[in-house]
Amino acid sequence: MKDNFQFFYRFLLWRDKHIKEKHFILIVSFLVGICTAAAAIVLKSIIHFIQHLLTGNFNQDGANYLYLLYPVIGILLAGLFVKYIVRDDISHGVTKILYAISQRKSRIKPHNAWTSIVASSVTIGFGGSVGAEAPIVLTGAAIGSNLGRLFRMEQKTLMLLVGCGAAGAIAGIFKAPIAGVVFVVEVLLLDLTMTSVLPLLITSVTAATVSYIFTGTEAMFPYS
């Protein structure tokens, strides 16, 4: 463990001397794209697994009163998970990101990279009337923030990586890379410059590509 830490520390020193920040951010944005796509795939897989586990044997032609009970159980389980395991307010995804950008120097707690996935997948899988967008956006932003902190990026770069994580999350779960970039510009209010647009595009395209590879090329909302 100690040897691994020393190796990573030497890598950081080498990176500071040989790779400029604006070039290294492209590499990190690619990693963020892969990680956010993996998070999106895990979230959708857990939701479908829980749904199939609970309703796989139901008769679709008849009424089943468990449909009324399952959402209550899901919300209760998610609440217990947050209260006794997370012991922190994971709140609404976008609100948490905006607060982190404005008040916490774009620093999002590491547990947000997985706790939102667990809580939301249980809630949605049990039939709760919530969507997967906000949880996966918070997860992606947390991945971007913590990867940036791991590689000791500057604060301005850290904010961009938070945006990259959010864009990658949208692109990964909806297979829509342009929508990810537009979401970041409109909701997170990040300014588009030549320095920022390329990392956002790299993350979004990477996340969408990975999602296509592992979940197929069918659109989430097909139309004819």
Side-chain angles (χ1 to χ4, degrees), residues 78 80-90 111-112 114-116 119:
L80 293 174
F81 170 75
V82 172
K83 183 176 181 180
Y84 293 105
I85 298 180
V86 181
R87 297 181 181 179
D88 190 18
D89 179 23
I90 59 178
H111 73 75
N112 288 119
W114 63 274
T115 51
S116 295

Side-chain angles (χ1 to χ4, degrees), residues 63-108:
N64 197 312
Y65 293 103
L66 287 177
Y67 281 120
L68 300 176
L69 183 61
Y70 280 157
V72 178
I73 297 175
I75 294 173
L76 178 62
L77 291 176
L80 293 174
F81 170 75
V82 172
K83 183 176 181 180
Y84 293 105
I85 298 180
V86 181
R87 297 181 181 179
D88 190 18
D89 179 23
I90 59 178
S91 70
H92 189 275
V94 177
T95 304
K96 196 85 169 181
I97 298 170
L98 293 174
Y99 179 79
I101 292 175
S102 61
Q103 302 294 329
R104 293 178 53 84
K105 300 180 180 179
S106 302
R107 296 173 180 267
I108 302 177

Side-chain angles (χ1 to χ4, degrees), residues 160 162-168 179-190 200:
L160 177 57
V162 169
C164 287
V181 176
V182 173
F183 174 86
V184 170
V185 175
E186 289 189 350
V187 179
L188 301 187
L189 303 177
L190 294 185
L200 287 173

Side-chain angles (χ1 to χ4, degrees), residues 2-44:
K2 185 177 181 181
D3 293 337
N4 293 335
F5 177 78
Q6 291 178 349
F7 173 80
F8 184 72
Y9 180 73
R10 289 196 296 268
F11 168 76
L12 292 178
L13 293 177
W14 177 86
R15 195 271 296 181
D16 289 336
K17 294 180 179 179
H18 296 87
I19 304 178
K20 295 182 179 179
E21 183 91 356
K22 63 180 181 180
H23 295 154
F24 189 68
I25 190 178
L26 302 180
I27 300 175
V28 179
S29 63
F30 176 74
L31 296 177
V32 171
I34 295 176
C35 294
T36 51
I41 293 171
V42 168
L43 176 61
K44 288 193 289 187

